[in-house]
Amino acid sequence: DGGITQSPKYLFRKEGQNVTLSCEQNLNHDAMYWYRQDPGQGLRLIYYSQIVNDFQKGDIAEGYSVSREKKESFPLTVTSAQKNPTAFYLCASREGGDTGELFFGEGSRLTVL
Amino acid sequence: RKEVEQDPGPFNVPEGATVAFNCTYSNSASQSFFWYRQDCRKEPKLLMSVYSSGNEDGRFTAQLNRASQYISLLIRDSKLSDSATYLCVAYSNSGYALNFGKGTSLLVTP
């Protein structure tokens, strides 16, 4: 079955540690996205990538980094520079171009202690 | 002004009622719009795409009003299982990044 897989589903980390969230898709989609969701805030765009080896900052990129070395993979690193990293992180993908729905992974819930 | 704005609700309606949500967008060049449904602590899932001519899927109807820059979602004969948060989505200026509204919370009661 095609889809998007995020891991881990739940993650606990100490303050000051970097954390990498995995996102893999086998839908052959060109574009991939990372969103962050806080209670009552809706989804806010962190980074997106339209094609391999290229990515763009979203609205809240500070404290995060990404890479897109393979079409299938778009990992997100939450660095120690991110002030409030505790959140629900959602990865999504879609076909290229300016239309097409987003397909989401099940999300990764990060809690920083 | 945020690119996509929604009334957060909550909308509390009895079973069988008809309920409508609106969502305004600021980018007049947006070509694609969607409604997503999100259950508590789950990922959003596509409910409907929104076409210029409007579209209907069973009890759900989506409309686009370009002149006033809003999209709407109408749910007829509400079911308990319709309780969720409904997110509207519009493409941003770049055409590649999608912007979400904060979501409208719906609670259907017996």
Side-chain angles (χ1 to χ4, degrees):
Chain A
D1 283 328
I4 301 178
T5 302
Q6 286 187 241
S7 63
K9 200 165 183 176
Y10 298 95
L11 187 59
F12 296 87
R13 278 293 180 268
K14 291 183 179 178
E15 208 170 310
Q17 288 182 327
N18 288 359
V19 168
T20 296
L21 307 179
S22 168
C23 178
E24 304 279 330
Q25 55 99 359
N26 60 5
L27 299 167
N28 200 34
H29 286 167
D30 288 316
M32 296 187 74
Y33 303 78
W34 274 106
Y35 288 90
R36 167 181 173 143
Q37 189 173 35
D38 297 282
Q41 288 285 335
L43 277 71
R44 292 185 290 168
L45 182 64
I46 305 173
Y47 268 98
Y48 65 101
S49 168
Q50 299 169 31
I51 199 167
V52 175
N53 293 322
D54 181 65
F55 48 83
Q56 310 294 330
K57 291 183 179 180
D59 300 320
I60 55 165
E62 186 175 346
Y64 299 97
S65 65
V66 293
S67 62
R68 187 82 188 279
E69 296 175 3
K70 297 187 298 181
K71 188 175 185 177
E72 305 80 31
S73 179
F74 191 40
L76 173 75
T77 298
V78 185
T79 75
S80 56
Q82 168 51 231
K83 302 296 182 195
N84 297 296
T86 294
F88 186 43
Y89 291 89
L90 287 157
C91 180
S93 73
R94 66 178 183 87
E95 294 178 356
D98 60 357
T99 60
E101 65 177 278
L102 276 175
F103 292 83
F104 284 91
E106 292 187 338
S108 292
R109 199 167 294 275
L110 172 64
T111 302
V112 174
L113 306 171
Chain B
R1 181 184 172 189
K2 294 197 180 300
E3 291 209 33
V4 178
E5 295 199 65
Q6 294 181 251
D7 180 348
F11 284 66
N12 293 332
V13 303
E15 257 187 302
T18 295
V19 61
F21 309 135
N22 281 344
C23 168
T24 59
Y25 62 93
S26 62
N27 178 16
S28 59
S30 286
Q31 296 295 321
S32 298
F33 307 89
F34 306 90
W35 283 102
Y36 277 76
R37 171 194 168 125
Q38 186 175 27
D39 293 294
C40 188
R41 301 178 75 83
K42 298 284 190 181
E43 76 276 21
K45 293 188 177 174
L46 180 70
L47 179 65
M48 299 181 79
S49 300
V50 186
Y51 305 123
S52 296
S53 56
N55 51 310
E56 187 173 314
D57 183 5
R59 298 181 294 108
F60 299 84
T61 300
Q63 298 279 355
L64 168 62
N65 184 318
R66 285 201 180 277
S68 300
Q69 292 186 208
Y70 74 85
I71 63 173
S72 64
L73 177 68
L74 181 77
I75 305 175
R76 290 179 298 277
D77 188 23
S78 299
K79 311 291 185 193
L80 296 177
S81 57
D82 293 334
S83 298
T85 297
Y86 292 84
L87 303 164
C88 75
V89 188
Y91 275 81
S92 74
N93 292 330
S94 70
Y96 290 102
L98 295 102
N99 291 304
F100 283 76
K102 290 188 177 182
T104 297
S105 177
L106 172 65
L107 178 63
V108 181
T109 55

mmCIF file of all heavy atoms in Angstrom, chain A residues 77-109:
data_model
loop_
_atom_site.group_PDB
_atom_site.id
_atom_site.type_symbol
_atom_site.label_atom_id
_atom_site.label_comp_id
_atom_site.label_asym_id
_atom_site.label_seq_id
_atom_site.Cartn_x
_atom_site.Cartn_y
_atom_site.Cartn_z
ATOM 1 N N THR A 77 14.943 17.859 11.389
ATOM 2 C CA THR A 77 15.688 17.926 12.639
ATOM 3 C C THR A 77 15.204 19.117 13.449
ATOM 4 O O THR A 77 15.175 20.248 12.943
ATOM 5 C CB THR A 77 17.201 18.023 12.397
ATOM 6 O OG1 THR A 77 17.633 16.840 11.723
ATOM 7 C CG2 THR A 77 17.962 18.164 13.704
ATOM 8 N N VAL A 78 14.808 18.847 14.668
ATOM 9 C CA VAL A 78 14.424 19.894 15.605
ATOM 10 C C VAL A 78 15.666 20.185 16.439
ATOM 11 O O VAL A 78 16.127 19.332 17.203
ATOM 12 C CB VAL A 78 13.262 19.428 16.505
ATOM 13 C CG1 VAL A 78 12.790 20.559 17.397
ATOM 14 C CG2 VAL A 78 12.116 18.884 15.665
ATOM 15 N N THR A 79 16.227 21.343 16.269
ATOM 16 C CA THR A 79 17.493 21.648 16.940
ATOM 17 C C THR A 79 17.245 22.270 18.310
ATOM 18 O O THR A 79 16.122 22.692 18.638
ATOM 19 C CB THR A 79 18.355 22.586 16.092
ATOM 20 O OG1 THR A 79 17.814 23.908 16.174
ATOM 21 C CG2 THR A 79 18.412 22.132 14.644
ATOM 22 N N SER A 80 18.319 22.396 19.048
ATOM 23 C CA SER A 80 18.223 22.991 20.388
ATOM 24 C C SER A 80 17.891 24.480 20.311
ATOM 25 O O SER A 80 17.517 25.087 21.307
ATOM 26 C CB SER A 80 19.531 22.778 21.152
ATOM 27 O OG SER A 80 20.615 23.301 20.415
ATOM 28 N N ALA A 81 17.997 25.057 19.128
ATOM 29 C CA ALA A 81 17.661 26.477 18.953
ATOM 30 C C ALA A 81 16.167 26.725 18.898
ATOM 31 O O ALA A 81 15.722 27.869 19.011
ATOM 32 C CB ALA A 81 18.310 27.006 17.672
ATOM 33 N N GLN A 82 15.397 25.670 18.724
ATOM 34 C CA GLN A 82 13.933 25.824 18.682
ATOM 35 C C GLN A 82 13.447 26.031 20.115
ATOM 36 O O GLN A 82 13.614 25.163 20.975
ATOM 37 C CB GLN A 82 13.303 24.590 18.034
ATOM 38 C CG GLN A 82 11.779 24.474 18.187
ATOM 39 C CD GLN A 82 11.011 25.703 17.784
ATOM 40 O OE1 GLN A 82 10.175 26.202 18.533
ATOM 41 N NE2 GLN A 82 11.298 26.207 16.608
ATOM 42 N N LYS A 83 12.789 27.171 20.355
ATOM 43 C CA LYS A 83 12.441 27.563 21.731
ATOM 44 C C LYS A 83 11.348 26.711 22.354
ATOM 45 O O LYS A 83 11.366 26.417 23.545
ATOM 46 C CB LYS A 83 11.993 29.033 21.744
ATOM 47 C CG LYS A 83 13.030 30.001 21.218
ATOM 48 C CD LYS A 83 14.273 30.027 22.070
ATOM 49 C CE LYS A 83 15.295 31.038 21.550
ATOM 50 N NZ LYS A 83 16.617 30.818 22.150
ATOM 51 N N ASN A 84 10.371 26.363 21.576
ATOM 52 C CA ASN A 84 9.230 25.596 22.110
ATOM 53 C C ASN A 84 8.973 24.383 21.227
ATOM 54 O O ASN A 84 8.022 24.371 20.443
ATOM 55 C CB ASN A 84 7.972 26.464 22.159
ATOM 56 C CG ASN A 84 8.127 27.638 23.099
ATOM 57 O OD1 ASN A 84 8.284 27.460 24.298
ATOM 58 N ND2 ASN A 84 8.088 28.837 22.553
ATOM 59 N N PRO A 85 9.799 23.353 21.302
ATOM 60 C CA PRO A 85 9.703 22.244 20.357
ATOM 61 C C PRO A 85 8.568 21.264 20.624
ATOM 62 O O PRO A 85 8.220 20.484 19.733
ATOM 63 C CB PRO A 85 11.057 21.543 20.510
ATOM 64 C CG PRO A 85 11.498 21.870 21.889
ATOM 65 C CD PRO A 85 10.974 23.245 22.193
ATOM 66 N N THR A 86 7.983 21.283 21.802
ATOM 67 C CA THR A 86 6.907 20.340 22.098
ATOM 68 C C THR A 86 5.712 20.636 21.201
ATOM 69 O O THR A 86 5.158 21.735 21.254
ATOM 70 C CB THR A 86 6.491 20.440 23.580
ATOM 71 O OG1 THR A 86 7.589 20.010 24.387
ATOM 72 C CG2 THR A 86 5.278 19.573 23.866
ATOM 73 N N ALA A 87 5.340 19.673 20.363
ATOM 74 C CA ALA A 87 4.257 19.881 19.397
ATOM 75 C C ALA A 87 3.975 18.574 18.671
ATOM 76 O O ALA A 87 4.671 17.574 18.841
ATOM 77 C CB ALA A 87 4.633 20.964 18.376
ATOM 78 N N PHE A 88 2.955 18.627 17.832
ATOM 79 C CA PHE A 88 2.583 17.525 16.937
ATOM 80 C C PHE A 88 3.126 17.879 15.552
ATOM 81 O O PHE A 88 2.793 18.932 15.010
ATOM 82 C CB PHE A 88 1.063 17.400 16.940
ATOM 83 C CG PHE A 88 0.509 16.222 16.185
ATOM 84 C CD1 PHE A 88 1.087 14.969 16.289
ATOM 85 C CD2 PHE A 88 -0.619 16.360 15.399
ATOM 86 C CE1 PHE A 88 0.561 13.881 15.619
ATOM 87 C CE2 PHE A 88 -1.160 15.265 14.724
ATOM 88 C CZ PHE A 88 -0.566 14.028 14.831
ATOM 89 N N TYR A 89 3.995 17.024 15.007
ATOM 90 C CA TYR A 89 4.631 17.301 13.724
ATOM 91 C C TYR A 89 4.041 16.410 12.648
ATOM 92 O O TYR A 89 3.997 15.187 12.796
ATOM 93 C CB TYR A 89 6.147 17.088 13.825
ATOM 94 C CG TYR A 89 6.814 18.128 14.683
ATOM 95 C CD1 TYR A 89 6.959 17.946 16.059
ATOM 96 C CD2 TYR A 89 7.278 19.322 14.127
ATOM 97 C CE1 TYR A 89 7.534 18.916 16.857
ATOM 98 C CE2 TYR A 89 7.863 20.292 14.926
ATOM 99 C CZ TYR A 89 7.986 20.079 16.285
ATOM 100 O OH TYR A 89 8.564 21.047 17.071
ATOM 101 N N LEU A 90 3.631 17.038 11.557
ATOM 102 C CA LEU A 90 2.992 16.313 10.465
ATOM 103 C C LEU A 90 3.778 16.470 9.179
ATOM 104 O O LEU A 90 4.123 17.576 8.779
ATOM 105 C CB LEU A 90 1.574 16.853 10.233
ATOM 106 C CG LEU A 90 0.550 16.456 11.294
ATOM 107 C CD1 LEU A 90 -0.605 17.432 11.327
ATOM 108 C CD2 LEU A 90 0.034 15.044 11.017
ATOM 109 N N CYS A 91 4.059 15.354 8.554
ATOM 110 C CA CYS A 91 4.714 15.340 7.257
ATOM 111 C C CYS A 91 3.647 15.059 6.196
ATOM 112 O O CYS A 91 2.688 14.304 6.448
ATOM 113 C CB CYS A 91 5.787 14.264 7.233
ATOM 114 S SG CYS A 91 6.672 14.128 5.673
ATOM 115 N N ALA A 92 3.789 15.661 5.042
ATOM 116 C CA ALA A 92 2.817 15.454 3.977
ATOM 117 C C ALA A 92 3.514 15.455 2.626
ATOM 118 O O ALA A 92 4.639 15.956 2.495
ATOM 119 C CB ALA A 92 1.744 16.544 4.011
ATOM 120 N N SER A 93 2.848 14.910 1.632
ATOM 121 C CA SER A 93 3.401 14.942 0.283
ATOM 122 C C SER A 93 2.264 15.117 -0.716
ATOM 123 O O SER A 93 1.088 14.898 -0.389
ATOM 124 C CB SER A 93 4.182 13.660 -0.027
ATOM 125 O OG SER A 93 3.304 12.559 -0.218
ATOM 126 N N ARG A 94 2.620 15.514 -1.911
ATOM 127 C CA ARG A 94 1.647 15.583 -2.996
ATOM 128 C C ARG A 94 2.406 15.566 -4.313
ATOM 129 O O ARG A 94 3.628 15.747 -4.350
ATOM 130 C CB ARG A 94 0.785 16.830 -2.912
ATOM 131 C CG ARG A 94 1.516 18.124 -3.106
ATOM 132 C CD ARG A 94 0.556 19.283 -3.052
ATOM 133 N NE ARG A 94 1.268 20.528 -3.320
ATOM 134 C CZ ARG A 94 1.489 21.014 -4.528
ATOM 135 N NH1 ARG A 94 1.028 20.389 -5.590
ATOM 136 N NH2 ARG A 94 2.144 22.137 -4.670
ATOM 137 N N GLU A 95 1.683 15.374 -5.394
ATOM 138 C CA GLU A 95 2.308 15.435 -6.704
ATOM 139 C C GLU A 95 2.769 16.871 -6.960
ATOM 140 O O GLU A 95 2.263 17.808 -6.351
ATOM 141 C CB GLU A 95 1.310 15.013 -7.780
ATOM 142 C CG GLU A 95 0.916 13.562 -7.667
ATOM 143 C CD GLU A 95 -0.111 13.160 -8.704
ATOM 144 O OE1 GLU A 95 -0.562 14.037 -9.460
ATOM 145 O OE2 GLU A 95 -0.458 11.965 -8.755
ATOM 146 N N GLY A 96 3.691 17.060 -7.878
ATOM 147 C CA GLY A 96 4.187 18.388 -8.188
ATOM 148 C C GLY A 96 3.149 19.251 -8.875
ATOM 149 O O GLY A 96 2.056 18.794 -9.203
ATOM 150 N N GLY A 97 3.485 20.499 -9.106
ATOM 151 C CA GLY A 97 2.556 21.421 -9.746
ATOM 152 C C GLY A 97 1.781 22.210 -8.715
ATOM 153 O O GLY A 97 2.069 22.158 -7.521
ATOM 154 N N ASP A 98 0.756 22.929 -9.147
ATOM 155 C CA ASP A 98 0.037 23.795 -8.221
ATOM 156 C C ASP A 98 -1.348 23.279 -7.870
ATOM 157 O O ASP A 98 -2.206 24.019 -7.420
ATOM 158 C CB ASP A 98 -0.052 25.211 -8.780
ATOM 159 C CG ASP A 98 -0.782 25.238 -10.121
ATOM 160 O OD1 ASP A 98 -1.165 24.164 -10.623
ATOM 161 O OD2 ASP A 98 -0.968 26.342 -10.645
ATOM 162 N N THR A 99 -1.592 22.022 -8.122
ATOM 163 C CA THR A 99 -2.855 21.428 -7.700
ATOM 164 C C THR A 99 -2.553 20.105 -7.028
ATOM 165 O O THR A 99 -1.407 19.692 -6.953
ATOM 166 C CB THR A 99 -3.789 21.186 -8.897
ATOM 167 O OG1 THR A 99 -3.129 20.293 -9.811
ATOM 168 C CG2 THR A 99 -4.111 22.479 -9.609
ATOM 169 N N GLY A 100 -3.576 19.449 -6.575
ATOM 170 C CA GLY A 100 -3.347 18.134 -5.981
ATOM 171 C C GLY A 100 -3.449 18.174 -4.477
ATOM 172 O O GLY A 100 -2.972 19.098 -3.836
ATOM 173 N N GLU A 101 -4.087 17.174 -3.922
ATOM 174 C CA GLU A 101 -4.298 17.131 -2.489
ATOM 175 C C GLU A 101 -3.020 16.736 -1.767
ATOM 176 O O GLU A 101 -2.103 16.134 -2.328
ATOM 177 C CB GLU A 101 -5.400 16.116 -2.152
ATOM 178 C CG GLU A 101 -4.990 14.692 -2.515
ATOM 179 C CD GLU A 101 -6.025 13.675 -2.120
ATOM 180 O OE1 GLU A 101 -6.035 13.281 -0.931
ATOM 181 O OE2 GLU A 101 -6.790 13.251 -3.001
ATOM 182 N N LEU A 102 -2.987 17.075 -0.493
ATOM 183 C CA LEU A 102 -1.924 16.651 0.395
ATOM 184 C C LEU A 102 -2.281 15.317 1.036
ATOM 185 O O LEU A 102 -3.415 15.118 1.448
ATOM 186 C CB LEU A 102 -1.738 17.660 1.522
ATOM 187 C CG LEU A 102 -0.890 18.890 1.297
ATOM 188 C CD1 LEU A 102 -0.972 19.785 2.512
ATOM 189 C CD2 LEU A 102 0.541 18.528 1.007
ATOM 190 N N PHE A 103 -1.309 14.449 1.114
ATOM 191 C CA PHE A 103 -1.459 13.200 1.853
ATOM 192 C C PHE A 103 -0.573 13.310 3.093
ATOM 193 O O PHE A 103 0.606 13.655 2.984
ATOM 194 C CB PHE A 103 -1.006 12.009 1.006
ATOM 195 C CG PHE A 103 -1.900 11.730 -0.156
ATOM 196 C CD1 PHE A 103 -1.756 12.427 -1.350
ATOM 197 C CD2 PHE A 103 -2.888 10.763 -0.070
ATOM 198 C CE1 PHE A 103 -2.585 12.182 -2.439
ATOM 199 C CE2 PHE A 103 -3.720 10.498 -1.149
ATOM 200 C CZ PHE A 103 -3.568 11.215 -2.330
ATOM 201 N N PHE A 104 -1.138 12.988 4.252
ATOM 202 C CA PHE A 104 -0.406 13.152 5.500
ATOM 203 C C PHE A 104 0.045 11.822 6.075
ATOM 204 O O PHE A 104 -0.622 10.797 5.920
ATOM 205 C CB PHE A 104 -1.290 13.832 6.548
ATOM 206 C CG PHE A 104 -1.457 15.297 6.338
ATOM 207 C CD1 PHE A 104 -2.497 15.796 5.579
ATOM 208 C CD2 PHE A 104 -0.571 16.191 6.926
ATOM 209 C CE1 PHE A 104 -2.652 17.160 5.390
ATOM 210 C CE2 PHE A 104 -0.716 17.550 6.743
ATOM 211 C CZ PHE A 104 -1.756 18.038 5.967
ATOM 212 N N GLY A 105 1.181 11.871 6.784
ATOM 213 C CA GLY A 105 1.543 10.776 7.655
ATOM 214 C C GLY A 105 0.729 10.875 8.934
ATOM 215 O O GLY A 105 -0.037 11.819 9.130
ATOM 216 N N GLU A 106 0.928 9.903 9.820
ATOM 217 C CA GLU A 106 0.144 9.869 11.049
ATOM 218 C C GLU A 106 0.656 10.837 12.111
ATOM 219 O O GLU A 106 0.016 11.010 13.139
ATOM 220 C CB GLU A 106 0.124 8.449 11.614
ATOM 221 C CG GLU A 106 -0.671 7.480 10.742
ATOM 222 C CD GLU A 106 -0.823 6.114 11.387
ATOM 223 O OE1 GLU A 106 -0.012 5.776 12.268
ATOM 224 O OE2 GLU A 106 -1.755 5.388 10.997
ATOM 225 N N GLY A 107 1.785 11.450 11.857
ATOM 226 C CA GLY A 107 2.284 12.449 12.780
ATOM 227 C C GLY A 107 3.269 11.908 13.802
ATOM 228 O O GLY A 107 3.279 10.709 14.103
ATOM 229 N N SER A 108 4.093 12.817 14.303
ATOM 230 C CA SER A 108 5.030 12.497 15.390
ATOM 231 C C SER A 108 4.790 13.488 16.516
ATOM 232 O O SER A 108 4.796 14.702 16.274
ATOM 233 C CB SER A 108 6.483 12.633 14.907
ATOM 234 O OG SER A 108 6.804 11.648 13.961
ATOM 235 N N ARG A 109 4.560 12.951 17.694
ATOM 236 C CA ARG A 109 4.283 13.839 18.837
ATOM 237 C C ARG A 109 5.549 13.943 19.669
ATOM 238 O O ARG A 109 5.969 12.972 20.291
ATOM 239 C CB ARG A 109 3.121 13.279 19.651
ATOM 240 C CG ARG A 109 2.467 14.306 20.553
ATOM 241 C CD ARG A 109 1.128 13.805 21.088
ATOM 242 N NE ARG A 109 0.129 13.640 20.052
ATOM 243 C CZ ARG A 109 -0.654 14.600 19.587
ATOM 244 N NH1 ARG A 109 -0.547 15.819 20.078
ATOM 245 N NH2 ARG A 109 -1.552 14.354 18.654
#
